[in-house]
Amino acid sequence: MKPNLSFLLAAIASLPMLAFSRVLERRYSSTLEPVPGFSPNPTNVPMYLYKPTSFKAGNPVILVVHYCGGSAQAMFGNLPDLPTLADERGILLIYPDSPHLEDHCWDVSSKETLTHDGGGDSTSLKNMVDYAQATYKASEELVYVMGISSGAMMTQVLSATYPNVFRAAAAYSGVPAGCFASPTGLVDAWNPDCAQGKIIKTAKEWGDIARAMYPQYSSRRPRMQLFHGTADDVLLYQDHLEAVKQWSDVLQVDLETPTSVRDNWPSQGLTTTEYGNELVRVVGNGIGHNFPANMTLTLDFFGIL
């Protein structure tokens, strides 16, 4: 068991129970279905798909990445607004399921996953998008990724390893891409220094780490939306500040000159700071690790509402 993992799992233990009550109140046009045997799948990540009856060829696709201790089914249930919006807008939703049985976290630590086409979890998840595009003719341009906790870490890893694939990303309570890197190359390794906000770097140092995951790439990068609570005691608030530095450098925005700062928006206790259309940070004053996910806000940021 990794350090602090039991605490992390306890922090999110209420989520699946909430999911069932919420799902019972909803009526969707389709159901979450497994996709058996998709390939290539180097780390054997199970794939699930929500394909609304309103989906048409060329429509957007969102990769939805769960938290430690979660699952594709739990993530589907815990974000009931997302399939509802998918029904309304004809959006294809992909839900991967972690192959790491001990903790059901994602590998955001190994060299393989932190490298473009390196053969780690990130490669398997990216290949799910390829499968959806080849099989269902989902858009090759309107591709998005979002995640919570470990899924938020993977969201930022995917944005660094496959910037050519994703148009925009939303990370709820995560850490910068590469922050969890294991010095010994272990897969799915817990990094207490990163979790506790002890890894401090300049914006350029963080940006270089992200760019090094796909050094041959020099084109457009995914726009980034970052959510974090100031009272997060699983992945400390300092991790958010480091992630903001990383993506400000990658996206070439000036943190000293935000285009908009709104207190108590979109709800009481939240502060939303925008840096043009490229980088948005939403900070929850006094909110812990379970930052309330706002699918309307995220899909609006993606530009598909």
Side-chain angles (χ1 to χ4, degrees), residues 9-197:
L9 295 178
I12 60 177
S14 62
L15 292 178
M17 188 176 297
L18 291 173
F20 293 125
S21 62
R22 290 173 180 173
V23 169
L24 289 174
E25 299 170 0
R26 302 291 177 123
R27 293 294 182 270
Y28 303 130
S29 72
S30 188
T31 56
L32 185 67
E33 298 290 343
V35 180
F38 98 91
S39 65
N41 185 6
T43 59
N44 298 313
V45 181
M47 175 181 178
Y48 291 79
L49 196 74
Y50 181 78
K51 181 174 173 285
T53 57
S54 55
F55 175 78
K56 297 178 182 179
N59 279 16
V61 57
I62 304 176
L63 182 66
V64 189
V65 192
H66 69 72
Y67 42 87
C68 279
S71 65
Q73 294 90 340
M75 193 69 163
F76 180 80
N78 281 314
L79 300 177
D81 291 344
L82 186 53
T84 297
L85 292 168
D87 282 344
E88 293 175 3
R89 300 288 173 161
I91 302 166
L92 191 67
L93 303 177
I94 300 171
Y95 292 84
D97 198 85
S98 171
H100 305 290
L101 299 181
E102 178 189 359
D103 52 24
H104 244 223
C105 297
W106 294 100
D107 173 21
V108 291
S109 308
S110 70
K111 181 179 179 180
E112 289 80 8
T113 203
L114 297 175
T115 303
H116 178 81
D117 288 345
D121 283 358
S122 61
T123 301
S124 287
L125 268 60
K126 176 264 182 185
N127 288 347
M128 292 182 183
V129 174
D130 290 345
Y131 177 90
Q133 291 167 339
T135 306
Y136 304 103
K137 308 303 179 187
S139 174
E140 295 185 3
E141 297 294 329
L142 304 177
V143 182
Y144 308 91
V145 58
M146 62 151 295
I148 296 173
S149 189
S150 179
M153 299 184 204
M154 178 56 78
T155 292
Q156 295 183 67
V157 167
L158 286 166
S159 297
T161 51
Y162 296 99
N164 56 316
V165 172
F166 299 99
R167 188 184 187 99
Y172 288 82
S173 305
V175 304
C179 187
F180 252 61
S182 169
T184 59
L186 291 177
V187 171
D188 185 26
W190 184 261
N191 187 324
D193 285 343
C194 177
Q196 294 165 20

Side-chain angles (χ1 to χ4, degrees), residues 145-293:
V145 58
M146 62 151 295
I148 296 173
S149 189
S150 179
M153 299 184 204
M154 178 56 78
T155 292
Q156 295 183 67
V157 167
L158 286 166
S159 297
T161 51
Y162 296 99
N164 56 316
V165 172
F166 299 99
R167 188 184 187 99
Y172 288 82
S173 305
V175 304
C179 187
F180 252 61
S182 169
T184 59
L186 291 177
V187 171
D188 185 26
W190 184 261
N191 187 324
D193 285 343
C194 177
Q196 294 165 20
K198 295 180 180 179
I199 299 180
I200 310 296
K201 297 183 182 294
T202 67
K204 184 179 184 304
E205 287 172 337
W206 279 123
D208 287 345
I209 288 172
R211 286 183 287 269
M213 296 183 194
Y214 189 4
Q216 300 88 354
Y217 186 77
S218 60
S219 188
R220 177 192 60 82
R221 300 276 174 170
R223 298 161 50 241
M224 183 65 64
Q225 186 182 49
L226 299 168
F227 297 81
H228 218 104
T230 60
D232 192 331
D233 52 4
V234 177
L235 301 173
L236 268 59
Y237 179 66
Q238 184 64 42
D239 289 321
H240 170 71
L241 300 179
E242 299 305 303
V244 169
K245 287 193 287 186
Q246 180 175 64
W247 296 106
S248 72
D249 185 74
V250 169
L251 296 168
Q252 299 181 358
V253 302
D254 183 0
L255 293 180
E256 299 299 321
T257 57
T259 55
S260 173
V261 179
R262 288 181 279 184
D263 291 324
N264 297 315
W265 192 91
S267 61
Q268 188 70 27
L270 302 184
T271 298
T272 299
T273 305
E274 299 176 339
Y275 302 90
N277 294 321
E278 297 299 303
L279 177 63
V280 174
R281 54 183 301 221
V282 183
V283 173
N285 184 35
I287 292 179
H289 190 58
N290 292 335
F291 197 110

